[in-house]
Amino acid sequence: MKEKLVLIGNGMAGVRTIEEILDRDPDRYQITIIGEEKYPNYNRIMLSNVLQKKMTVSEIITNPLEWYEENQIELINHDPAVHMDTTNKKITTQSGKEISYDKCILATGSRAFILPVDGAQLPGVVGFRTIDDTENMLEASQKYQKAVVIGGGLLGLEAAKGLLDQGMDVTVVHLEKWLMETQLDEKAGKMLQADLEKQGLKFLMEKATQKILGDNRVTGLAFSDGTTIETDMVVMSIGIRSETTLARTTTIEVNRGIVVDDFMKTNVPDVFAVGECAEHNGNVYGLVAPLFEQGKVLADVLTGKEAKPYQGSTTFTSLKVSGCDLYSAGNIRETEGINSIEAFDGINYTYKKIFVRENQVVGVVLYGDTSEGNRYYNILKKNESIEEYTPVSLLHMVGEEASADVSEWPDDEVICGCNGIDKGTIMTAINEKDLTSVADVTKHTKAGGSCGKCKSVIGDVLAYALGGEVVSAPTGICGCTDLTRDQIVTQIYAKKLTSSDEVYRELNFTNPEGCPKCRPAINFYLNVAWPKEHEDEKESRYVNERLYANIQNDGTFSVIPRMRGGKTNPQQLLLIAKVAEKYDVPMVKVTGSQRIGLYGVKKEDLPKIWEELDMKAAGAYAKAVRSVKTCVGANFCRFGTQDSMGLGIKLEQRYEFIDTPHKFKMGVSACPRSCVESGVKDFGIIGVENGFQIYIGGNGGTEVKEAVLLTTVETEQEVIDICGAMLQYYRETGIYAERTAPWIERIGFEVVKEVLLNPEKRQELLAALDQAVEGRRGNPWDEVVEDNKTRQELYTVGRA
C-alpha cells in the first residue's frame, strides 16, 4: 500500500517538489495537493507578462488539470487547509474535508505585505501576488486613470510598467534613494529610473507613506513630509511575508518562516517545508531558484535517495521590463575586504560592476547589456579565481573579448539559473532524446521553464549540439504549438493549408481549436497566403475587428468616420452633429489622427449611426492601414514645400482597409518642421524642396521608436509605390501583432531597404498586394448596414 503524501500549497515550489518526486519514484506515494486558489499550478513569475498583456492566464498554467489526472494526484482546489493535527496526522480544509497523511509538505508560500497605515483596507488597495490580483488590476486599469505603486523593487516596477501599458498614469513611490536598492548599486538604480521615466513612469523617491486617503475608495496618499498625491488605485509592493498561519496553530517551530534543517525537515516528525514559507539558517527566499533547489533536496529525502544537504542559495535576479535589461547576483555592497571593478559605456548606456573579495567574484551588477550575466554568475558560483582575467579592457576588436561561444563552455556551466540546469544536462537530453527545439529542451529538462530569460542561450546550445543546423531558438507562437511563425507559414504553403482547422490539425496543435492568441494570427497568415481561397474567419478576429468599432472601458463603443488626410466639410460636420445629438453621444472629440470620434455609443446604435452618417469607417479599430495624418501643406502654410494633404489623401485612397500584422500609421509633413510627427510613423513623409524624404519604422506608444530615413524621392508616385511595397513586404514577413519597428529590427534595415528600393522587387510586391486585396477593400460599415442577419447576430444587446 502506498504511503500518503499531502502537499499543502499548489504553488511553484511545492508542485516542483512533487515533479521531482515523480521523476525519481512515480509509484511511491498516493499524493494529495491542497490549494487555496481556484487555478491549477501556474508560473507566478509570468504574472507581470499577463499584466502587460504579453501572455494570457492559460499560457502561464504550468500543469493543467490533466497533469494531476495523469499522475493520479488528488487536487483539492480553492479549499485551503485550515487545521493541522500533527499528532493524528490529519489535515482539515475550509469546506470540512479531512485528509490523513503519512508525510506532509508545507509549501504555503507568502503573501504581499500590506503597509499598516490608515486606509490600507480601502477598495482600490491591492497586492500583486496572484492571478486574481492581476485580473483585478487589469479590470481597474479599464475604469480608472491614475495608479500609485508603493515600492520600487522588482515586482513593483513590473506592476507599474504593466499598468502603464494599459494606459494608466502611474507613479512609483519608493522609500529609498534609488530603485531596487537591494539588487542594484546607486548608479545602476539611477540608470534604471532614467530609462523607465523615458517610458512614461513617474517616481517619487525617498517618500514615506503615512496614510491612504479616501472614504469609500482610495483617492490619494499622504506622505510623512506633508505632501500628497491623487490616485485611483494603490498597488502595495513592498515585500512579502511567509504564510505561516497554519503552521503556527501547531507545535511546528516558526520564526520568520517555518524553520527547517538542511534536509527541509521541520521539528515535527514527517512534516517538511519548502519555498517562500520555509526559513533555512535564518534566510527566507523569495526567488524561484532557491525554492527549486530546496525541492530537489526534499525529493531525494522523500524517495530515499542519498541527499546532499541544502546549504543555502546564491541568488540572482533580472527585470522583465522592455528596454531595461539588468542582472544582479550575489553581494553588491563594497564592505571591508570587498572591492569592485566598474565599467560605464556612456555611448551605449551600459554599466557593469563586479564585486571581488580575495580574487573571487562575490557580486555582479549589469545594466543595459546582460549578455555576460550567466558567465559571471558561473564564475561566482564556482568560486573561481580571477587572477588570470584582465579586469578592464577597452576598444578591443570584435571577437577579442572573452568568448560567449557556448561550444567553449564546460559542461557544468549553468544555463538556466532558475532551475539549476547546466550545459551538460541539456546536451545529454538533446542527444539522447533527439530534441530539436527549445520547447523540447524545456519540456525534458525544465531549463527555460521559469522566467525564460535563458531561452536564447538554450537555442545556442541546441544549435551547437545539432551541428549548427539550428540558427535560432525556435519558440512556439503560443502554448498550442512549438512552431514559430516562419515554420507555420512555410507549412501553410507547403501543405496548401487553407483553413485554420487544417492548420491546427495538420500541424498538430495541442488545442484543436486554437487559443485566443493563435487564432487571429493563423487567420491573418492564411489571408495573406491564400487571398482568393481563404475566406476570412471573422470569429477568429478580436472583438474590435468583429464589431468594426473599439470597445470602451464601460462596454460602449467609439465611432470614428473616415476623413481622408484629415480633411472634412460642412456637410460631414452637420451629419456628425445630428447623430451625436440624436443618439445622445456623451463625447465628441478630435482624435490624435485628426478625425472626429464619437465615444460612448451603445452597441445596438452602431448600425443605425453608420447608416445615418453615410461615411466610411476610419478603421481605427483594426490591425490595418490607419488614417493618414497631414498638415495643411504648401497650399496654405508659408513654410510648406509640398502638397502634404493631397498626398495624404492619395495614400489613404490607395491603401485604406488593407490588413497588416499590426496597425500601420502614416504621416505626411510639408516641410522639415514635421508638424505631423512623421518621425514616429510607420511610414513618414517629409516634404523638402526637391521632393520627399521617406522614413520608416517609427512607432509611438509606450516604447517610442524613431523612424529611419529610407530614401529621398522626387515624385508623389514614387512615395505611393514604395509605401505599397512596404505594406506587402510587411504583410508577407511580419509576425502577427508585431509593429514595424521590431519587424525592421528583426529583418534588418538594410535588407528592407534593399527590397523596397529595388524597382523590380517593388513592382512585384505592388502586384502581389493588388492581387491580394482585390475585392476585399469595401467599407465594412456598409456590409453591416445592408445585412439584417449580421445586425441581429452581432449588434443586439446581450449577444457578443
Side-chain angles (χ1 to χ4, degrees), residues 361-383:
V361 174
V362 295
V364 180
V365 170
L366 304 178
Y367 190 86
D369 176 8
T370 60
S371 58
E372 292 192 287
N374 263 5
R375 189 171 73 88
Y376 292 137
Y377 184 63
N378 281 310
I379 293 174
L380 186 155
K381 284 200 72 172
K382 293 175 185 174
N383 296 320

Side-chain angles (χ1 to χ4, degrees), residues 158-215:
E158 290 177 355
K161 183 61 167 55
L163 293 172
L164 181 74
D165 287 348
Q166 306 316 310
M168 297 196 82
D169 180 349
V170 184
T171 300
V172 176
V173 174
H174 195 48
L175 186 62
E176 304 297 334
K177 191 176 179 181
W178 67 87
L179 300 173
M180 294 181 68
E181 72 283 351
T182 58
Q183 291 95 10
L184 301 179
D185 67 347
E186 183 170 358
K187 188 173 186 66
K190 296 287 187 183
M191 291 173 73
L192 171 62
Q193 182 178 339
D195 272 347
L196 291 172
E197 284 174 339
K198 289 177 186 174
Q199 296 187 29
L201 283 177
K202 301 172 183 174
F203 293 91
L204 291 176
M205 306 299 291
E206 299 182 80
K207 288 279 189 182
T209 303
Q210 192 172 55
K211 183 179 181 182
I212 297 174
L213 307 176
D215 294 324

Side-chain angles (χ1 to χ4, degrees), residues 523 535-542 545-546 548 783:
N523 183 52
E535 186 173 348
D536 184 46
E537 299 166 22
K538 286 190 169 48
E539 66 279 7
S540 294
R541 290 180 176 259
Y542 291 120
E545 293 187 334
R546 289 202 306 272
Y548 307 121
E783 295 173 16

Side-chain angles (χ1 to χ4, degrees), residues 124-145:
V125 180
V126 298
F128 181 35
R129 292 292 296 164
T130 66
I131 288 176
D132 286 345
D133 290 340
T134 309
E135 293 191 330
N136 288 339
M137 290 164 68
L138 283 170
E139 184 179 347
S141 72
Q142 300 303 307
K143 295 180 180 176
Y144 302 101
Q145 297 295 317

Side-chain angles (χ1 to χ4, degrees), residues 258-548:
I258 300 168
V259 178
V260 295
D261 65 10
D262 292 348
F263 298 96
M264 315 316 295
K265 296 177 182 175
T266 70
N267 63 310
V268 172
D270 294 324
V271 178
F272 308 82
V274 292
E276 294 170 332
C277 68
E279 177 182 328
H280 175 264
N281 281 344
N283 294 313
V284 175
Y285 296 95
L287 298 172
V288 67
L291 315 187
F292 289 172
E293 290 174 14
Q294 293 172 1
K296 289 178 181 178
V297 172
L298 181 53
D300 283 339
V301 171
L302 291 177
T303 54
K305 307 289 183 186
E306 183 179 353
K308 294 180 180 178
Y310 177 66
Q311 297 293 318
S313 300
T314 301
T315 59
F316 72 95
T317 189
S318 59
L319 186 66
K320 297 186 292 298
V321 168
S322 176
C324 298
D325 288 333
L326 66 84
Y327 187 95
S328 171
N331 186 340
I332 61 152
R333 293 285 176 267
E334 286 183 84
T335 55
E336 186 176 351
I338 297 180
N339 297 305
S340 64
I341 306 166
E342 181 177 329
F344 173 66
D345 178 352
I347 297 174
N348 295 304
Y349 204 61
T350 62
Y351 174 68
K352 300 179 181 180
K353 193 167 187 177
I354 308 297
F355 296 82
V356 178
R357 178 171 54 202
E358 298 178 351
N359 277 325
Q360 291 183 340
V361 174
V362 295
V364 180
V365 170
L366 304 178
Y367 190 86
D369 176 8
T370 60
S371 58
E372 292 192 287
N374 263 5
R375 189 171 73 88
Y376 292 137
Y377 184 63
N378 281 310
I379 293 174
L380 186 155
K381 284 200 72 172
K382 293 175 185 174
N383 296 320
E384 189 175 327
S385 171
I386 62 169
E387 284 182 333
E388 296 183 3
Y389 288 88
T390 302
V392 178
S393 175
L394 290 176
L395 296 179
H396 279 75
M397 295 292 289
V398 174
E400 290 184 354
E401 304 89 346
S403 173
D405 184 351
V406 297
S407 67
E408 298 179 11
W409 293 2
D411 281 353
D412 63 351
E413 196 88 358
V414 173
I415 302 296
C416 175
C418 293
N419 292 282
I421 308 299
D422 59 30
K423 174 189 166 187
T425 303
I426 294 174
M427 289 288 291
T428 300
I430 292 170
N431 293 326
E432 290 184 354
K433 302 180 186 298
D434 295 327
L435 308 182
T436 59
S437 72
V438 173
D440 282 343
V441 173
T442 300
K443 181 178 179 181
H444 287 278
T445 69
K446 296 185 174 62
S450 296
C451 78
K453 284 270 188 179
C454 60
K455 285 189 175 180
S456 63
V457 183
I458 297 171
D460 291 340
V461 176
L462 195 63
Y464 166 60
L466 298 181
E469 293 178 4
V470 178
V471 295
S472 61
T475 52
I477 62 169
C478 67
C480 301
T481 179
D482 292 340
L483 299 176
T484 65
R485 176 265 179 208
D486 289 347
Q487 291 170 326
I488 291 170
V489 171
T490 298
Q491 293 300 311
I492 285 173
Y493 284 105
K495 297 187 175 185
K496 295 188 176 178
L497 308 177
T498 58
S499 72
S500 293
D501 287 342
E502 286 183 336
V503 172
Y504 303 143
R505 185 176 62 251
E506 295 297 323
L507 303 187
N508 298 316
F509 277 45
T510 56
N511 185 345
E513 297 178 349
C515 70
K517 187 173 182 179
C518 67
R519 278 199 295 268
I522 299 300
N523 183 52
F524 175 80
Y525 299 144
L526 288 167
N527 278 341
V528 174
W530 311 113
K532 304 300 180 188
E533 295 86 348
H534 177 245
E535 186 173 348
D536 184 46
E537 299 166 22
K538 286 190 169 48
E539 66 279 7
S540 294
R541 290 180 176 259
Y542 291 120
V543 62
N544 290 346
E545 293 187 334
R546 289 202 306 272
L547 296 175
Y548 307 121

Side-chain angles (χ1 to χ4, degrees), residues 639-643 647 669-672 685-695 709 711-719:
F639 299 114
T641 62
Q642 303 289 346
D643 178 13
L647 176 56
S669 300
C671 77
I685 303 110
I686 294 178
V688 291
E689 292 294 340
N690 60 338
F692 305 89
Q693 294 176 337
I694 298 175
Y695 292 80
L709 177 63
T711 186
T712 301
V713 298
E714 295 181 359
T715 67
E716 289 186 349
Q717 191 58 51
E718 289 173 286
V719 174

